[in-house]
Structures are given as C-alpha cells and as structure tokens.
Amino acid sequence: MKVPGKQERCIICGQVTDMEKDWPVAMRKHYVEGAGQLCRKCYLEIYSDGN
C-alpha cells in the first residue's frame, strides 16, 4: 500500500514509485546512482535495449 509522503517519486516524470524513502538504495529497483529514483516506465525507456 502506498502511503502519501513515504514513497519516492520518479526524478523524471514525478510519478509515485513503490520504493519507500527510507529503504537502502542497494535494495531499490530502478534506482540510478548519482541521479535518484526512477519509476519502472522511465527506467525501461532509458535502459531497455529494445527487446
């Protein structure tokens, strides 16, 4: 369940993600070191190889 204010937002589109702000970055999906948290859609648009 997403709790307002507790979830990270995507640094590109601003969508609320499933990642909690207090989770270690090593355990997060779609986190880009030096940039921040991305949603799944933005992450795949940037890092997908087209397959």
Side-chain angles (χ1 to χ4, degrees), residues 2-34:
K2 294 181 183 178
V3 178
K6 191 169 181 171
Q7 306 302 119
E8 287 282 3
R9 289 190 172 268
C10 176
I11 60 165
I12 295 174
C13 72
Q15 177 180 336
V16 175
T17 69
D18 292 332
M19 301 298 115
E20 294 184 13
K21 290 180 178 179
D22 58 355
W23 283 1
V25 295
M27 296 179 65
R28 296 183 186 193
K29 295 181 204 173
H30 313 123
Y31 183 83
V32 178
E33 190 171 334

Side-chain angles (χ1 to χ4, degrees), residues 22-49:
D22 58 355
W23 283 1
V25 295
M27 296 179 65
R28 296 183 186 193
K29 295 181 204 173
H30 313 123
Y31 183 83
V32 178
E33 190 171 334
Q37 187 67 51
L38 277 67
C39 67
R40 182 178 187 275
K41 180 180 178 258
C42 288
Y43 183 89
L44 292 176
E45 284 179 5
I46 294 169
Y47 293 102
S48 177
D49 64 1

